[in-house]
């Protein structure tokens, strides 16, 4: 005959701590995933903004190239303005202004560069490139136009009036020492 022994009933109280800890870990992982997605979307927008800024910069460079190609660099002309679209871009544009910052006055060439052989007229091209999302870039380019010499201008004060090859210009003499009292 077989005798069976009935197992003892365990009277332990389970409080569900594993369930609570599992739910807390799941919550932490969800918050991290949402934070990562937000960071990625913000970085995506930032990369797009940088691309649009580069497009605006290239549009401004296109404006400068158009200003050099089509501008009238006449010192007696009034400042010029123009604008246009960038080729192969449906939304990028440029606005250019060409002016003479020195009021159209002729400038002598730099000393040592045959200053009495030609004069220069200085101009500035200011180009503003525009792209989507209000991206904007402003570029400036200086232009010097050579012209026949202007007899009314000459080298600055204190500079020699002629250049002799092989002879370095002498500096001005030092001031005399003060006389003793």
């Amino acid at each position: 005959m077989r005798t069976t022994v009935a197992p003892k009933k365990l009277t332990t109280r389970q409080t569900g701590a594993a369930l609570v800890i599992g739910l807390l870990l799941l919550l932490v992982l969800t918050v991290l995933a949402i934070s990562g997605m937000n960071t990625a979307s913000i970085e995506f927008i930032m990369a797009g903004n940088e691309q649009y800024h580069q497009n605006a910069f290239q549009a401004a460079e296109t404006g400068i190239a158009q200003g050099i190609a089509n501008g009238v660099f006449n010192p007696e002309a009034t400042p010029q303005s123009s604008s246009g679209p960038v080729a192969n871009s449906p939304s990028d544009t440029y606005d250019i202004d060409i002016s003479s910052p020195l009021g159209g006055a002729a400038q002598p060439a730099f000393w040592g560069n045959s200053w009495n052989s030609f004069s220069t007229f200085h101009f500035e091209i200011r180009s503003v490139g525009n792209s989507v999302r209000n991206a904007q870039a402003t570029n400036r380019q200086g232009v010097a136009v050579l012209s026949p010499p202007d007899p009314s201008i000459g080298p600055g004060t204190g500079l020699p009036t002629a250049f002799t090859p092989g002879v370095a210009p002498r500096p001005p003499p030092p001031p005399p020492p003060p006389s003793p009292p």
Side-chain angles (χ1 to χ4, degrees), residues 47-86:
N49 286 343
E50 181 61 28
Q51 180 180 1
Y52 297 134
H53 183 265
Q54 286 298 319
N55 288 350
F57 174 81
Q58 293 302 326
E61 287 292 313
T62 300
I64 287 178
Q66 291 298 318
I68 290 173
N70 301 327
V72 177
F73 297 103
N74 182 350
E76 296 174 359
T78 59
Q80 306 165 53
S81 296
S82 69
S83 61
V86 176

Side-chain angles (χ1 to χ4, degrees), residues 3-176:
T3 59
T4 58
V5 178
K8 288 186 176 182
K9 214 179 201 186
L10 298 175
T11 57
T12 58
R13 296 178 68 191
Q14 295 184 0
T15 58
L19 178 64
V20 172
I21 290 174
L23 288 175
L24 286 176
L25 288 175
L26 185 60
L27 178 68
V28 168
L29 289 175
T30 303
V31 168
L32 287 175
I34 291 172
S35 174
M37 288 184 344
N38 285 342
T39 301
S41 67
I42 288 173
E43 287 178 359
F44 183 71
I45 291 170
M46 288 171 50
N49 286 343
E50 181 61 28
Q51 180 180 1
Y52 297 134
H53 183 265
Q54 286 298 319
N55 288 350
F57 174 81
Q58 293 302 326
E61 287 292 313
T62 300
I64 287 178
Q66 291 298 318
I68 290 173
N70 301 327
V72 177
F73 297 103
N74 182 350
E76 296 174 359
T78 59
Q80 306 165 53
S81 296
S82 69
S83 61
V86 176
N88 300 324
S89 174
S91 59
D92 298 343
T93 61
Y94 61 84
D95 301 313
I96 59 172
D97 296 314
I98 301 174
S99 63
S100 179
L102 301 175
Q107 300 296 309
F110 293 110
W111 184 84
N113 291 327
S114 305
W115 62 265
N116 59 348
S117 299
F118 61 89
S119 296
T120 59
F121 291 95
H122 298 267
F123 297 91
E124 180 180 87
I125 301 173
R126 179 181 172 268
S127 178
V128 178
N130 301 301
S131 188
V132 294
R133 285 195 196 161
N134 295 327
Q136 196 173 64
T138 302
N139 297 357
R140 297 178 189 270
Q141 174 70 48
V143 176
V145 177
L146 300 179
S147 69
D150 185 351
S152 66
I153 61 170
T157 57
L159 293 175
T161 58
F163 178 70
T164 308
V167 177
R170 294 182 184 170

